[in-house]
Amino acid sequence: MQAATTPRAGSALVPEHPLEDLIRSDRIPHIWCPGCGIGTAFAATLTAMKSSGIDLHKTCMVSGIGCSGRAAGYVKLDSFHTTHGRAIPFATGLKLGNPELNVVVFSGDGDLFAIGGNHFIHAARRNMDLTVICLNNLNYGMTGGQVAATTPHLARTTTTPSGNPDAPFNLPLLAWASGATYVARWTVLHTRELTESIQKAITKSGFSFIEVLGPCPINYGRRNREKALQTLKLYRERTIIRNHADPSDLDVDFTKQVILGEFVDKERPTCIENYDKTCRLPE
Amino acid sequence: MEFWRVPLDAQAIEISRGEVHVIEDRCKGCGYCIEFCPRGILAFSARFNKKGYHPPEVLQPKSCVNCHYCEIICPEFAIYSVDLSSLQPPGL
């Protein structure tokens, strides 16, 4: 086996990593902790972008603040790391300014659903042609593991040492109710399904939303007695794939069962189509 | 693999073979590739990388079927497999 590991990757003998052309390899190893799920979800996004056949010169990635927000800095495409919670408004502007672009928003649950919650529901309501990928690690990882809008009931965090008294958001239900045209949920363990789903979402017009459950071993996992591998085993044992399930059944509660799959796949006129039809009348 | 009865299409099925490559200095030792390799051919090595983690090593290189699961589960872009048939230069 030494023969495979000693020569440098990219040399004549050893082919490069298949995503080497899409990552800024001078910044790798990235800042994400050992066992963090963001890297896997990010790799799935890049693979999906590549295999979907879209023009990558006309593809942009936008992220907000947080661990997942760093993704925009690692992709070798036009990308923007916006202020906290404002990934979707920035992406909306990008899309309206140049409707030819494929805009992918890659951000975390805190960014998209806590400070950016309003932007999310309104972009979904207008059916902006965006692909929103939300890495849900169930807490505010970057700032030290505080309780977030997605922290499960009774889960321990830095700010809820005796357990979270509140109920979390059901993200696919929120997206469905706001009018998203594509809604799916996977975990980082279901990478193949996730990649296929992202590919579908990128090629589909309209507001697509994909929730990716990923472990946060350092902040969430440590306080809830879950090592990174244990979280992945939980994903294997406590999840069930049920496409087109009722969105109100999709709560994330790992003491019971978590439903994964594709929940919404419908057509609706996009924001730009509706605007052109209403406000840009033929002369 | 041992069969109690040889499948009827055993001759027609071609099992793909892969070669695993590890970019050791990118590895952070999460162990996902080792745990989830369907052939169980990876293990932590005894040596350290630049960051002080134990990168995986391939124990049975011949058993890799090039499923790419280590590649897609790795959060670090540190491990990947390539089809062995495309690697061998013609004439070998």
Side-chain angles (χ1 to χ4, degrees):
Chain A
M1 195 42 235
Q2 261 62 27
T5 50
T6 35
R8 286 218 160 260
S11 69
L13 279 172
V14 181
E16 277 188 333
H17 189 284
L19 291 173
E20 206 67 29
D21 54 337
L22 273 181
I23 51 173
R24 293 186 190 272
S25 26
D26 51 325
R27 297 193 181 185
I28 306 281
H30 47 59
I31 58 144
W32 299 317
C33 308
C36 172
I38 302 172
T40 308
F42 180 54
T45 310
L46 298 183
T47 312
M49 280 178 170
K50 222 171 166 178
S51 58
S52 64
I54 52 169
D55 185 357
L56 290 178
H57 292 291
K58 288 184 180 159
T59 305
C60 311
M61 190 183 266
V62 182
S63 334
I65 297 297
C67 295
S68 321
R70 305 297 289 246
Y74 295 122
V75 62
K76 216 194 259 175
L77 297 173
D78 288 342
S79 61
F80 201 80
H81 189 180
T82 66
T83 46
H84 199 4
R86 314 298 171 228
I88 290 181
F90 186 88
T92 303
L94 206 58
K95 183 74 189 176
L96 290 176
N98 187 356
E100 278 188 6
L101 295 176
N102 303 300
V103 185
V104 178
V105 176
F106 186 99
S107 208
D109 52 303
D111 184 76
L112 286 171
F113 288 96
I115 189 167
N118 260 313
H119 299 303
F120 179 88
I121 57 174
H122 289 287
R125 173 179 64 84
R126 292 193 197 104
N127 200 17
M128 273 312 303
D129 190 2
L130 305 175
T131 304
V132 179
I133 298 157
C134 172
L135 192 287
N136 183 0
N137 58 9
L138 311 176
N139 75 132
Y140 286 109
M142 181 167 271
T143 49
Q146 292 83 358
V147 67
T150 47
T151 307
H153 181 54
L154 299 180
R156 286 166 205 273
T157 64
T158 340
T159 44
T160 55
S162 48
N164 179 19
D166 300 321
F169 264 138
N170 172 347
L171 301 183
L173 175 65
L174 186 67
W176 168 81
S178 316
T181 54
Y182 183 87
V183 180
R185 172 199 275 156
W186 299 105
T187 74
V188 292
L189 189 69
H190 299 77
T191 337
R192 288 192 207 274
E193 291 92 336
L194 172 67
T195 310
E196 265 172 45
S197 211
I198 297 175
Q199 196 181 322
K200 212 164 161 184
I202 289 175
T203 45
K204 191 177 166 74
S205 74
F207 191 88
S208 315
F209 169 66
I210 296 165
E211 177 187 6
V212 190
L213 293 169
C216 177
I218 302 297
N219 278 315
Y220 184 83
R222 184 159 49 99
R223 295 192 175 85
N224 292 285
R225 310 227 162 140
E226 270 177 37
K227 293 211 162 109
L229 265 176
Q230 286 170 318
T231 313
L232 287 208
K233 283 178 186 162
L234 211 60
Y235 290 167
R236 186 165 61 183
E237 286 155 17
R238 299 271 170 86
T239 58
I240 183 163
I241 298 173
R242 197 177 295 155
N243 292 326
H244 304 288
D246 183 352
S248 56
D249 295 339
L250 302 176
D251 290 307
V252 175
D253 180 1
F254 278 101
T255 57
K256 292 180 205 147
Q257 209 166 36
V258 176
I259 301 173
L260 310 175
E262 250 180 47
F263 308 122
V264 179
D265 189 359
K266 63 178 182 189
E267 300 295 332
R268 204 157 72 86
T270 63
C271 174
I272 295 177
E273 284 166 15
N274 274 339
Y275 183 84
D276 287 350
K277 215 160 49 184
T278 320
C279 308
R280 290 207 172 112
L281 299 172
E283 287 172 17
Chain B
M1 197 188 284
E2 290 280 325
F3 297 110
W4 61 271
R5 180 184 68 80
V6 179
L8 295 175
D9 56 353
Q11 301 302 315
I13 302 278
E14 205 174 293
I15 297 170
S16 54
R17 280 196 53 210
E19 189 174 73
V20 180
H21 297 273
V22 183
I23 306 174
E24 294 199 347
D25 286 338
R26 285 185 183 177
C27 178
K28 288 181 192 156
C30 66
Y32 289 173
C33 54
I34 298 168
E35 176 69 27
F36 294 106
C37 172
R39 308 284 288 173
I41 63 168
L42 298 165
F44 283 114
S45 62
R47 59 184 174 278
F48 292 98
N49 67 6
K50 224 185 333 190
K51 294 232 173 202
Y53 297 104
H54 293 287
E57 65 181 354
V58 186
L59 292 183
Q60 300 133 307
K62 282 188 181 155
S63 298
C64 176
V65 290
N66 201 27
C67 74
H68 296 287
Y69 197 74
C70 55
E71 179 184 315
I72 61 177
I73 195 77
C74 176
E76 307 290 334
F77 305 97
I79 187 168
Y80 55 102
S81 70
V82 284
D83 187 16
L84 207 55
S85 57
S86 68
L87 266 185
Q88 280 163 349
L92 269 178

